[in-house]
Amino acid sequence: MKTSMLTLILGVALVLAFPAEAGTRLQPVPILMYHVISSPPANAAYAELYVPRAAFAAQVGWLAAHHYHAVTLQQAFDAWRGAARLPSKPIIFSFDDGYLSQVRSALPILKARHWAGVLNLEVRNLQPVWGIRPPGVRKLIAAGWEIDAHTLTHRDLTTVDATRLREEVAGSRAAIRKRFGVPVNFFCYPAGRYDETVIAAVQQAGYLGATTTRYGLARPGELYTLARVRVNGSDGMRGLAAKLEALAT
């Protein structure tokens, strides 16, 4: 297994062929991790996953005032391999699972800046009343958002058998591509849970990279374990600013 993993990783490295003189082209990029963009209900089990709309708007405003510019993960990947250029201070807005608030709140706030986000879609969330629903996904796509896969049912992929692993990883990509006609080039590990077997399944399914819940900046040498910056409900504008300023030092 370890030999197979090494072969796959080396293969990705050879395809990307990063030259030593790449300089700022290989700069790390902060990927913000959001979930629900609304105030938490009184009985919320995970209240920190809720960022109130006003707090989100303040964070976006602070980022714009400090010369950040939103890009998608595909744009960052393309820049890392030398096929595109990034703004001087790129940042990625990623939203996990698929919630109505991501369309109702995050979309208009980002759209006002002509910015797009990245939706890590759990396919099951197309069904419930509180889920994002297909028309909402199409609104995001029309606004330039990237749609990536977050499995079919948000299972801990380190605990499932080979058949279920393939269904959750490759099956979610196929389902989203068929439903919405988008590339789905990146994967997001549910609850940040992964191991060598899971990474191999992600690579075999054709994804170009994958995001985790590991804290830090996303770097081109870690395409299948990309770090992110979790944004908690209690962070507010100052908390997010402090996180980004600390990571930049």
Side-chain angles (χ1 to χ4, degrees):
M1 181 61 195
K2 290 183 178 180
T3 301
S4 176
M5 275 295 298
L6 180 60
T7 300
L8 286 166
I9 292 170
L10 288 174
V12 171
L14 288 171
V15 169
L16 295 175
F18 296 143
E21 63 275 12
T24 57
R25 177 163 71 76
L26 300 184
Q27 69 184 104
V29 177
I31 303 177
L32 304 182
M33 174 173 53
Y34 289 95
H35 290 80
V36 187
I37 308 301
S38 69
S39 297
N43 62 346
Y46 303 100
E48 285 284 49
L49 297 184
Y50 292 75
V51 174
R53 178 178 176 136
F56 180 74
Q59 290 167 350
V60 171
W62 183 90
L63 290 166
H66 287 78
H67 311 294
Y68 283 90
H69 194 285
V71 299
T72 64
L73 185 49
Q74 183 69 59
Q75 288 174 310
F77 177 87
D78 289 344
W80 286 338
R81 67 175 182 169
R85 293 178 66 90
L86 289 175
S88 60
K89 294 180 72 173
I91 196 161
I92 298 170
F93 288 82
S94 71
F95 300 84
D96 287 5
D97 304 328
Y99 302 103
L100 287 172
S101 65
Q102 294 163 353
V103 177
R104 293 176 177 174
S105 296
L107 172 60
I109 291 169
L110 291 178
K111 192 173 183 179
R113 303 277 179 184
H114 303 287
W115 288 358
V118 173
L119 172 63
N120 296 315
L121 179 61
E122 175 191 340
V123 175
R124 179 177 58 181
N125 276 9
L126 293 171
Q127 301 303 322
V129 173
W130 49 263
I132 194 168
R133 307 294 290 158
V137 176
R138 294 189 182 96
K139 286 183 180 178
L140 298 182
I141 294 170
W145 283 47
E146 176 181 311
I147 311 299
D148 292 326
H150 197 36
T151 71
L152 297 172
T153 63
H154 209 275
R155 292 287 298 274
D156 179 346
L157 299 179
T158 66
T159 67
V160 300
D161 62 27
T163 299
R164 186 58 181 269
L165 177 60
R166 185 168 56 252
E167 290 173 352
E168 293 285 349
V169 174
S172 59
R173 185 183 194 212
I176 297 169
R177 292 176 79 174
K178 181 178 180 181
R179 188 80 177 255
F180 300 108
V182 291
V184 194
N185 283 335
F186 299 92
F187 187 77
C188 178
Y189 302 109
R193 297 280 294 164
Y194 63 92
D195 56 20
E196 287 189 350
T197 301
V198 174
I199 293 173
V202 170
Q203 292 172 322
Q204 290 162 6
Y207 294 100
L208 300 177
T211 54
T212 70
T213 58
R214 185 169 58 85
Y215 186 78
L217 300 176
R219 302 178 185 278
E222 303 169 337
L223 287 176
Y224 290 93
T225 55
L226 293 168
R228 291 190 289 172
V229 180
R230 180 187 292 275
V231 184
N232 295 317
S234 61
D235 284 342
M237 181 189 71
R238 294 182 183 276
L240 175 59
K243 288 179 176 180
L244 292 175
E245 288 167 356
L247 287 169
T249 59

